[in-house]
Amino acid sequence: MTKLEIARELAERKDMPLADAIKAVDGVIDIMKDAFKNGRNVYLRGLGSFVIKERKEKTGRNPRTGEVIIIPAHKEVKFNQSQSLIVRQ
């Protein structure tokens, strides 16, 4: 699903204007981005957790040229799904 599809579904389920649903979805995304920038993890019960992980500096290789490059240390957000999201057949 795209962000717009989520907003449309939210508008339909909660009987609200699409413009308000888009603002709500954008607002949630902005709040999460701000939390990550401030080093905070986000936990959504029933969905999962978004946890900031620190990655160490490492060497890599440019696939086009074969040149060895240094990938600097950085932080990234990892998603761990809730057990309730596991799809069983």
Side-chain angles (χ1 to χ4, degrees):
M1 290 183 85
T2 66
K3 184 167 66 169
L4 181 58
E5 290 170 333
I6 292 171
R8 284 185 180 141
E9 186 73 23
L10 177 63
E12 184 179 311
R13 288 185 184 195
K14 298 300 179 184
D15 194 29
M16 63 192 300
L18 178 59
D20 290 347
I22 291 171
K23 287 179 187 177
V25 172
D26 284 339
V28 169
I29 292 170
D30 288 343
I31 290 168
M32 291 176 69
K33 284 181 181 179
D34 288 343
F36 300 144
K37 287 178 188 175
N38 292 322
R40 297 177 63 199
N41 298 325
V42 176
Y43 304 98
L44 300 173
R45 187 178 304 273
L47 179 65
S49 56
F50 297 85
V51 181
I52 299 171
K53 296 283 186 176
E54 294 202 25
R55 305 288 286 189
K56 295 179 181 179
E57 181 180 278
K58 62 182 180 179
T59 58
R61 190 171 301 275
N62 181 332
R64 189 174 300 157
T65 64
E67 174 187 6
V68 175
I69 58 173
I70 302 295
I71 301 168
H74 61 279
K75 294 179 182 179
E76 63 186 23
V77 178
K78 294 285 190 178
F79 176 71
N80 298 314
Q81 73 181 22
S82 168
Q83 289 295 315
S84 64
L85 282 184
I86 296 175
V87 179
R88 293 185 168 84
Q89 296 191 21

